[in-house]
Amino acid sequence: MIIVMKHDASGALVDAVKEKLIAMDMRTNISRGTNRIVVGAIGDVQYVDIKVLEALPGVESVVRVAKPHKIVARESHSGDTIVNVGGVEIGGNTVQVIAGPCSVETQEQMDSAAQAVVAAGCRLMRGGAFKPRTSPYSFQGLGVEGLELFQNAARKQGLPIVSELMDVRMLDAFLEHKVDVIQIGTRNMQNFDLLKEVGGIQTPVILKRGMSATIAEWLMSAEYIAARGNHNIIFCERGVRSFETAYRNVLDVTAIPVLKRETHLPVIVDPSHAGGKAWMVPALSRAAVAAGADGLLVEMHPTPAEAWCDADQALSPDELNDLMAELKGIAQVIGRTL
Ligand code: PEP
Ligand code: MN
């Protein structure tokens, strides 16, 4: 950590900063330039509140040199982390496409969705049993019964499952129903109690980006999970809020290379909640894979027009098939497989 003193800071103020740092169990190193003095703080600075130092008289600014997101930072781990989900690797050379309906509706719907997922060549399935809806009058998901229907359908096809957890009190039900990947949705990216709870288990977690979250905030949310011991974290970019109304959210493609540089953990993209329309999904998926995403989370429904949730953004089974064929080509060009 570096403390930059104001150009007119007196020697006494520099000494006061030095003493404050020593009182915080840190060593100091004073560097005197022509115009100003810079105090280097050496030691375990992760618990130091920058604001306390910034408030000291004579201090111009305080800069952290080490990343505050210690465990998830790329510098903490050489190479890319591969998260293993029931034998399927996320973060390796193969781009994984997770497909399935927005919400679990009926056994028949889930059975035919699972068949379509396998037929398209996808190795993981999504489906929401607990739905975060904007209106309390919209379908809220089938709850625990939905997890049961989902497992019945997915196990028949040998597919690991991804489902969203919204409430800490449901965690045991997710574990009992052997949900392979717990999705933390956009609206809960900063639900720190929820993050701590999923940090206390080893089930892989897909951490979606908050609607208006900065990358730094997103990384710190992942750090909450990692700090409790669960390092099986997958980031999911799903579009951010903007002034634009022509589509649901802006897919932040730039976030993909930035995250890949900042963290060793896998990064996937949800093109469905980004564009919000099925016809946009192929273009956004191609962009995501080309930009280096390790996978996609795509909504697909056996009969999109009849979906109980997000009908307008669900691909049909045929459209998922076509998408997979297209993405194979993109993956090949960048030296990956699908
Ligand atoms: C979902 O994946 O079904 C969902 C609700 O996504 P998000 O949290 O990105 O809105
Ligand atoms: Mn949805």
Side-chain angles (χ1 to χ4, degrees), residues 98 101-102 125-132 150 161-167 171 174 179-189 194-195 198 203-209 225 234 236 238 268 270 273 297-299:
I98 308 164
C102 180
M125 186 171 177
R126 64 150 289 149
F130 296 86
K131 296 305 305 174
F150 192 0
I161 67 169
V162 176
S163 204
E164 177 169 356
L165 174 71
M166 296 202 296
D167 186 332
L171 182 57
F174 274 59
V179 172
D180 301 279
V181 185
I182 294 177
Q183 178 174 317
I184 300 294
T186 295
R187 293 154 190 84
N188 278 310
M189 188 204 85
L194 189 56
L195 299 178
V198 297
T203 306
V205 174
I206 285 181
L207 179 64
K208 284 199 162 193
R209 183 181 188 174
I225 301 170
I234 300 153
C236 180
R238 48 77 75 197
I268 66 169
D270 174 346
H273 290 87
L297 183 69
V298 179
E299 288 192 344

Side-chain angles (χ1 to χ4, degrees), residues 85-140:
V85 182
V88 179
E89 293 186 341
I90 301 184
N93 196 50
T94 301
V95 176
Q96 300 292 356
V97 179
I98 308 164
C102 180
S103 64
V104 178
E105 298 162 8
T106 64
Q107 191 66 66
E108 195 189 6
Q109 169 241 15
M110 290 309 279
D111 284 343
S112 77
Q115 279 162 20
V117 168
V118 171
C122 304
R123 301 175 196 90
L124 297 127
M125 186 171 177
R126 64 150 289 149
F130 296 86
K131 296 305 305 174
R133 305 304 300 277
T134 302
S135 166
Y137 307 114
S138 302
F139 172 57
Q140 304 284 306

Side-chain angles (χ1 to χ4, degrees), residues 4-42:
V4 181
M5 302 301 295
K6 286 185 177 147
H7 69 93
D8 57 354
S10 65
L13 292 182
V14 176
D15 285 346
V17 168
K18 203 176 149 185
E19 273 155 33
K20 183 80 182 169
L21 290 168
I22 290 167
M24 289 168 153
D25 277 343
M26 259 170 288
R27 285 177 291 123
T28 59
N29 179 294
I30 311 275
S31 157
R32 291 172 202 278
T34 13
N35 292 320
R36 56 182 83 231
I37 292 175
V38 169
V39 183
I42 306 145

Side-chain angles (χ1 to χ4, degrees), residues 79 215 277:
I215 287 175
K277 296 285 176 214

Side-chain angles (χ1 to χ4, degrees), residues 104-296:
V104 178
E105 298 162 8
T106 64
Q107 191 66 66
E108 195 189 6
Q109 169 241 15
M110 290 309 279
D111 284 343
S112 77
Q115 279 162 20
V117 168
V118 171
C122 304
R123 301 175 196 90
L124 297 127
M125 186 171 177
R126 64 150 289 149
F130 296 86
K131 296 305 305 174
R133 305 304 300 277
T134 302
S135 166
Y137 307 114
S138 302
F139 172 57
Q140 304 284 306
L142 294 181
V144 176
E145 188 202 342
L147 295 178
E148 255 163 58
L149 302 185
F150 192 0
Q151 271 300 10
N152 289 342
R155 288 291 176 256
K156 274 182 244 166
Q157 303 294 335
L159 290 166
I161 67 169
V162 176
S163 204
E164 177 169 356
L165 174 71
M166 296 202 296
D167 186 332
V168 168
R169 292 169 295 183
M170 286 298 141
L171 182 57
D172 285 345
F174 274 59
L175 296 177
E176 276 161 32
H177 288 82
K178 299 196 165 35
V179 172
D180 301 279
V181 185
I182 294 177
Q183 178 174 317
I184 300 294
T186 295
R187 293 154 190 84
N188 278 310
M189 188 204 85
Q190 287 190 312
N191 181 339
F192 299 118
D193 286 339
L194 189 56
L195 299 178
K196 285 179 194 167
E197 287 298 318
V198 297
I201 56 174
Q202 287 302 309
T203 306
V205 174
I206 285 181
L207 179 64
K208 284 199 162 193
R209 183 181 188 174
M211 245 170 249
S212 314
T214 63
I215 287 175
E217 288 165 341
W218 194 9
L219 287 162
M220 287 311 285
S221 287
E223 190 73 15
Y224 259 92
I225 301 170
R228 285 285 174 113
N230 189 353
H231 297 185
N232 300 311
I233 306 164
I234 300 153
F235 287 86
C236 180
E237 159 63 34
R238 48 77 75 197
V240 289
R241 273 275 168 91
S242 84
F243 51 84
E244 186 53 70
T245 54
Y247 34 84
R248 197 170 175 180
N249 293 293
V250 181
L251 178 64
D252 183 5
V253 177
T254 316
I256 304 166
V258 171
L259 267 190
K260 294 294 295 179
R261 189 185 167 95
E262 286 293 323
T263 176
H264 51 90
L265 294 165
V267 178
I268 66 169
V269 166
D270 174 346
S272 310
H273 290 87
K277 296 285 176 214
W279 64 264
M280 292 181 199
V281 170
L284 299 181
S285 301
R286 292 193 300 263
V289 173
D294 297 303
L296 298 174

Side-chain angles (χ1 to χ4, degrees), residues 40-57:
I42 306 145
D44 192 2
V45 295
Q46 68 172 312
Y47 302 114
V48 172
D49 185 353
I50 282 191
K51 294 203 171 57
V52 169
L53 297 171
E54 278 172 343
L56 293 176

